[in-house]
Amino acid sequence: MLLHVTKKVLIAILTIWLIITISFVLVHTMPGDPIIFLIGEEEYYYLLDNDPAYLDQLIEKYGLNDDMGTQYARYMRSVATLDFGESYSNHKPVLENFLSAAKWTLRLSIPTLIVACFLGAVLGIHAGIHPGGRFDRITTPIFLVLNTIPSNCLSLLLLILFAYKLKWVPINGMVSPGVMGAARTASILHHMALPLFILIIFRTSGDFMLMKSTVSQIRSEEYVLTARSKGIGRQKVLFRHVLKNALVPYSTSLCMQLGSLLSGSMIVEVVFGWKGMGQMMYTAVSNRDFATAQFCFLLSAVCVVLSNLLGDIVNAAIDPRIRREAGADD
Amino acid sequence: MDETRQILLRVEDLSVSFEGKNFVQAVEHVSLEVFTGDRLCIIGETGSGKSILLLAILRLLSPTARVTGSVRYRDQDLFRLTEKQLDAIRGSRISYVPQGSGNGMNPLLRVGFQVAEPLIAHRGMKRKPAEARAVELLRRFHLGREETIARQYPFTYSGGMRQRALIAMGISAGAELLFADEPTKGLDETRVLLTAEAFNALEGQTLVCVTHDLNFARRVSSRVCVMYAANQVEAAPTEELFRKPLHPYTRDMLAAMPENGLRFRPGYAPAHNDADTAGCKYRLRCDRCSEKCRQTPPMFDVGGHQVRCWQYE
């Protein structure tokens, strides 16, 4: 098992290195001067016309006159020291912007993950154990619709209903200005109620569909019949024989969701004016803030690699067939 | 008939159908009695309803199955018991051995534990001693390196090994009635002989075994029940049935055995939802078919040999 984990970790490190390198190569092989990507197109042409000396200084500062090897070494060093440069939009270090946005994203994504993972599993198991039953007939179409409706449509519809018509929640924002202490916490909770509700609905519907289809498929497996024929009781059959097997695809999905904890939900954040990672990524791309956008994409890629790694390790811990395939049988 | 033997299981007029768009009549009006110490083999071609019959008796079919008739195990009507009461019987007093060629064992649990599970559930044993007992049971079926392989997972086993482990699981809690669904499927001739030996060595256990292997049926059974297209067509003591089969289907089936010259009668069993084949299901293939065969024949008793054919009216 240790060998399997080590192998997977090494592959993940290699993949992350490749992603970082490719992002460097892309910038330096794309048509146009790399300084355009670093300071933005508008700034570049402004400086080119008005202050070419400062532009040269910037080129010198970013070391763009150095040979590729030197530039690559410097780039790797800055990635290793988490120095991703300054944001073109507010001239603050990208890392500082990230820490501020991540805090707000995590406020939405952590409760979403916990509640949706639990709700989706419980409801999915219940529907999957009695496929075609009353509960399944009611819940499946509801979650199917929720799972397929675009999130911006649902967000806008609920925003109109709860914020505009009923005025139960604010239209957008994260906290009312000028409030402190417990009132501030209450204000944040008030503001996050609707986006959180929408994110939970989406995530739960996905988790529900996955768990339901997995459980209903596994319950008709021959080994479940064998388990039932042993008279070991409904609960033991469910937990020991059905859920243990259902855990393999479900844990994979959960690990993937963990990977998107930081990247946030761009659409919901933009609709609700929630200044999290999704919003940060959206703004960076719209404003051609290259340093921030590059950081966001690197972060997303690293999160995907790490969540894959976690998924691989968890699956190997649950499923001996995966350990055997990886040559790490116990 | 030995007067001291008691009826252990009485199946009366059992029918199983799967309702819905693709209606299937899987078992039709089957009645049989199993006495203590019996070795009953149910034979017949694939799709004749043998396995469904076993699962229906144990109430292990999916909720889409419509089961009618009655099943009495000793003094209990199995169809009237609650799920909990039935769990106290399954694995403890009636055990079931599924087909080993399929996916009959949980891929994520060690074989030793799965063999030991009925002991833990019904005999109050702790996990460790139950698993030690599982190793002994596996040894009875000559799996080799039993202590090591008991700690392994089913996917590391060959089909034959899995089948033998499943039989060990079936007999682990010492249930008095053992249902086995094609226990020799996928086994080579030597393993078939060893399985027959193991079944014959069962003490105080009654066996109801579904099989395609006619030689295996002859080796292990004292009585044979023949099924064709969801119907029970013949039931007789084993030697009598093999010596003097009465039903045309049984005769044709025995004639198709390699040692009898592989004489195969062309044609197929009617589809389970074929309404045109009312009456005897074998009449479309039978060379002695008469007009009367359009009506379903009852079971006739010919000197203790039961046969569902108008010839014996």
Side-chain angles (χ1 to χ4, degrees):
Chain A
M1 183 69 187
L2 189 68
L3 182 78
H4 175 64
V5 173
T6 314
K7 218 178 342 180
K8 288 285 172 191
V9 169
L10 288 176
I11 291 172
I13 292 170
L14 184 72
T15 314
I16 290 170
W17 170 75
L18 269 175
I19 291 164
I20 294 168
T21 305
I22 287 169
S23 83
F24 171 82
V25 171
L26 279 178
V27 173
H28 289 81
T29 53
M30 272 198 290
D33 198 329
I35 192 69
I36 298 176
F37 302 115
L38 293 171
I39 62 170
E41 210 169 347
E42 277 175 43
E43 182 88 350
Y44 173 77
Y45 287 114
Y46 175 79
L47 290 176
L48 197 64
D49 292 339
N50 302 307
D51 194 355
Y54 181 61
L55 190 64
D56 287 341
Q57 270 180 32
L58 282 176
I59 290 171
E60 195 60 38
K61 179 188 164 192
Y62 288 114
L64 296 175
N65 288 329
D66 296 338
D67 63 280
M68 288 289 271
T70 314
Q71 285 189 52
Y72 178 66
R74 192 185 309 116
Y75 172 74
M76 288 303 287
R77 198 166 43 243
S78 63
V79 170
T81 55
L82 300 177
D83 174 14
F84 295 95
E86 275 183 4
S87 162
Y88 165 62
S89 314
N90 62 4
H91 299 288
K92 280 186 181 171
V94 170
L95 196 66
E96 195 182 313
N97 287 341
F98 158 70
L99 291 174
S100 156
K103 186 176 68 184
W104 289 103
T105 287
L106 290 176
R107 277 183 184 147
L108 283 181
S109 57
I110 290 177
T112 301
L113 186 79
I114 294 169
V115 175
C117 153
F118 178 74
L119 264 184
V122 171
L123 300 177
I125 290 165
H126 199 64
I129 280 291
H130 308 288
R134 193 188 299 167
F135 183 78
D136 179 31
R137 287 202 308 271
I138 294 170
T139 49
T140 301
I142 294 173
F143 282 119
L144 197 62
V145 168
L146 292 173
N147 200 30
T148 46
I149 191 169
S151 59
N152 54 345
C153 289
L154 188 72
S155 301
L156 287 172
L157 284 174
L158 295 183
L159 198 63
I160 291 167
L161 178 67
F162 292 111
Y164 185 69
K165 295 267 185 208
L166 298 172
K167 297 193 191 322
W168 287 358
V169 289
I171 283 186
N172 70 359
M174 302 183 295
V175 60
S176 303
V179 287
M180 298 302 285
R184 181 180 148 84
T185 310
S187 171
I188 292 173
L189 288 173
H190 191 207
H191 279 81
M192 69 190 274
L194 195 53
L196 184 65
F197 176 68
I198 289 165
L199 286 173
I200 286 175
I201 282 179
F202 271 104
R203 203 67 98 188
T204 304
S205 60
D207 290 346
F208 168 87
M209 299 304 289
L210 176 67
M211 188 52 108
K212 186 218 146 177
S213 63
T214 312
V215 167
S216 67
Q217 185 198 331
I218 289 172
R219 66 180 279 285
S220 53
E221 288 283 353
E222 223 175 310
Y223 55 79
V224 176
L225 186 89
T226 310
R228 285 179 61 211
S229 78
K230 293 185 207 174
I232 56 174
R234 218 169 249 271
Q235 295 293 320
K236 284 202 177 89
V237 171
L238 178 66
F239 283 97
R240 198 181 283 161
H241 293 275
V242 178
L243 290 189
K244 191 162 184 186
N245 282 279
L247 214 57
V248 178
Y250 199 68
S251 64
T252 308
S253 162
L254 284 189
C255 290
M256 292 295 129
Q257 289 175 32
L258 270 177
S260 63
L261 262 185
L262 274 175
S263 52
S265 166
M266 190 186 287
I267 292 169
V268 172
E269 286 187 6
V270 170
V271 169
F272 287 92
W274 193 266
K275 299 208 182 321
M277 287 300 296
Q279 174 91 289
M280 180 173 150
M281 202 178 292
Y282 175 78
T283 318
V285 173
S286 344
N287 295 347
R288 300 185 179 192
D289 182 350
F290 178 76
T292 308
Q294 191 189 30
F295 169 77
C296 290
F297 294 132
L298 266 184
L299 181 77
S300 298
V302 169
C303 285
V304 168
V305 173
L306 291 180
S307 58
N308 263 306
L309 172 67
L310 186 67
D312 282 344
I313 294 170
V314 171
N315 278 351
I318 301 171
D319 194 337
R321 288 167 297 185
I322 296 170
R323 290 202 293 276
R324 167 59 67 97
E325 249 173 56
D329 201 17
D330 44 5
Chain B
M1 182 74 60
D2 185 351
E3 293 300 321
T4 57
R5 294 197 311 161
Q6 300 169 326
I7 288 185
L8 199 57
L9 187 78
R10 175 176 278 152
V11 178
E12 276 181 279
D13 203 26
L14 185 79
S15 293
V16 181
S17 59
F18 293 90
E19 309 284 328
K21 209 167 130 191
N22 300 314
F23 175 84
V24 170
Q25 184 71 53
V27 176
E28 233 176 310
H29 308 294
V30 169
S31 297
L32 51 90
E33 287 174 343
V34 180
F35 292 84
T36 50
D38 246 0
R39 296 274 193 269
L40 173 69
C41 269
I42 303 172
I43 59 175
E45 62 191 43
T46 305
S48 56
K50 309 180 299 290
S51 302
I52 295 288
L53 175 65
L54 291 192
L55 295 175
I57 293 170
L58 278 171
R59 275 174 50 192
L60 286 171
L61 289 172
S62 70
T64 53
R66 187 167 172 268
V67 184
T68 57
S70 79
V71 175
R72 290 194 75 80
Y73 164 70
R74 291 200 176 270
D75 55 348
Q76 290 169 300
D77 185 343
L78 293 188
F79 286 180
R80 288 183 187 277
L81 296 183
T82 62
E83 195 65 22
K84 207 169 179 185
Q85 288 170 323
L86 205 57
D87 274 342
I89 291 176
R90 289 182 191 142
S92 166
R93 295 163 74 184
I94 307 176
S95 63
Y96 170 76
V97 178
Q99 294 180 14
S101 55
N103 199 11
M105 286 193 144
N106 189 331
L108 305 188
L109 296 175
R110 292 173 203 275
V111 172
F113 175 71
Q114 296 192 61
V115 172
E117 228 177 352
L119 290 167
I120 299 166
H122 300 292
R123 301 290 173 255
M125 287 177 84
K126 294 277 177 216
R127 186 168 175 157
K128 274 218 161 161
E131 285 182 349
R133 171 83 183 119
V135 173
E136 283 171 33
L137 286 162
L138 292 173
R139 207 164 274 144
R140 271 172 73 172
F141 292 92
H142 313 279
L143 271 88
R145 297 184 302 111
E146 287 82 3
E147 279 191 26
T148 310
I149 62 162
R151 288 195 298 273
Q152 289 178 348
Y153 294 92
F155 70 93
T156 62
Y157 281 43
S158 69
M161 286 169 80
R162 219 163 31 233
Q163 182 64 76
R164 282 174 282 154
L166 282 167
I167 300 171
M169 187 177 74
I171 64 169
S172 64
E176 63 175 339
L177 179 55
L178 178 67
F179 284 180
D181 190 0
E182 297 189 32
T184 56
K185 199 171 178 180
L187 296 189
D188 59 59
E189 200 52 37
T190 316
R191 303 294 175 202
V192 171
L193 285 172
L194 285 170
T195 307
E197 245 176 54
F199 276 163
N200 287 330
L202 295 176
E203 281 172 20
Q205 278 176 307
T206 304
L207 175 72
V208 177
C209 175
V210 160
T211 183
H212 287 126
D213 188 335
L214 301 182
N215 284 321
F216 175 76
R218 196 167 190 175
R219 276 191 200 105
V220 299
S221 67
S222 54
R223 277 198 311 136
V224 173
C225 163
V226 183
M227 285 189 73
Y228 180 77
N231 283 263
Q232 180 188 16
V233 293
E234 189 166 357
T238 306
E239 279 315 310
E240 193 182 323
L241 185 126
F242 276 87
R243 206 177 51 248
K244 196 186 165 198
L246 296 184
H247 197 280
Y249 169 66
T250 316
R251 280 203 297 270
D252 289 342
M253 181 172 63
L254 295 181
M257 289 173 74
E259 51 269 48
N260 295 336
L262 282 171
R263 282 172 289 121
F264 174 71
R265 184 173 292 283
Y268 298 97
H272 291 300
N273 54 359
D274 191 349
D276 295 337
T277 48
C280 174
K281 300 282 182 187
Y282 198 60
R283 71 186 165 83
L284 300 178
R285 292 169 79 183
C286 183
D287 53 359
R288 296 184 193 183
C289 172
S290 69
E291 197 50 39
K292 197 156 195 186
C293 299
R294 289 186 179 279
Q295 297 164 37
T296 305
M299 215 39 154
F300 296 107
D301 194 317
V302 186
H305 191 140
Q306 293 174 305
V307 59
R308 193 184 291 277
C309 179
W310 285 115
Q311 289 176 53
Y312 304 96
E313 188 179 2

